[in-house]
Amino acid sequence: MIFVKNLKSVSDQEWTTTDKYPGVRWKLLIDADFMGSSGLSLGFVEIAPGGDLTLHYHSPSEIYVITNGEGILNKSGELEEIKKGDVVYIERNAKHGLKNIGKETLEFYWIFPTDTFSEVEYFN
Ligand code: 7BC
Ligand code: NI
């Protein structure tokens, strides 16, 4: 199966938020929970200025593709500035977080090597 979707026109998925991650909202784009995909899943995140995807870890590894803005990546306690155009690899179970330190919305895609986002268990 081959499927094309567009972030701007996607209509089958809504934004999700949680009190745990202030100023953060996300949308699932490729996920076996609502399409016939498998092996990989993908979502898109927006972090408002000052917003914080706080330190967490999970057993699947993860990739970020930063498409707008700038932020501070927390790499298990070590901080690194990241910006539009950067890509980030996060090893399985590595603690990570991302805070928007800019004036623009920080936007990125995440990729998990999982069928679904819902199977990823988040730990602090
Ligand atoms: O955006 C969220 C919210 C749970 O997660 C994707 C990014 C991440 O690091 O797991
Ligand atoms: Ni993560």
Side-chain angles (χ1 to χ4, degrees):
M1 158 187 144
I2 298 177
F3 206 98
V4 177
K5 276 193 159 183
N6 185 290
L7 174 65
K8 301 296 175 196
S9 59
V10 68
S11 54
D12 56 346
Q13 293 302 309
E14 298 297 328
W15 292 105
T16 305
T17 59
T18 169
D19 292 342
K20 219 171 128 183
Y21 302 132
V24 178
R25 67 176 190 166
W26 69 91
K27 192 177 267 206
L28 306 182
L29 292 170
I30 298 174
D31 197 294
D33 274 348
F34 54 83
M35 56 197 290
S37 54
S38 65
L40 295 170
S41 55
L42 178 134
F44 180 76
V45 191
E46 290 184 354
I47 306 182
D52 198 359
L53 176 61
T54 55
L55 209 58
H56 68 274
Y57 66 98
H58 33 68
S59 98
S61 51
E62 185 173 27
I63 284 174
Y64 291 165
V65 179
I66 312 296
T67 57
N68 197 58
E70 51 193 340
I72 294 279
L73 178 69
N74 187 324
K75 303 185 295 181
S76 306
E78 187 188 336
L79 305 182
E80 179 171 343
E81 280 195 36
I82 58 150
K83 60 180 186 315
K84 176 180 180 175
D86 289 345
V87 292
V88 179
Y89 168 75
I90 301 157
E91 186 179 27
R92 63 202 315 276
N93 292 315
K95 278 200 173 187
H96 57 285
L98 187 55
K99 183 173 170 60
N100 185 351
I101 54 155
K103 292 194 174 105
E104 291 182 32
T105 306
L106 177 55
E107 302 179 2
F108 65 97
Y109 292 89
W110 85 74
I111 301 162
F112 277 124
T114 60
D115 292 346
T116 65
F117 176 68
S118 60
E119 76 196 69
V120 179
E121 199 177 349
Y122 278 70
F123 302 101
N124 298 313

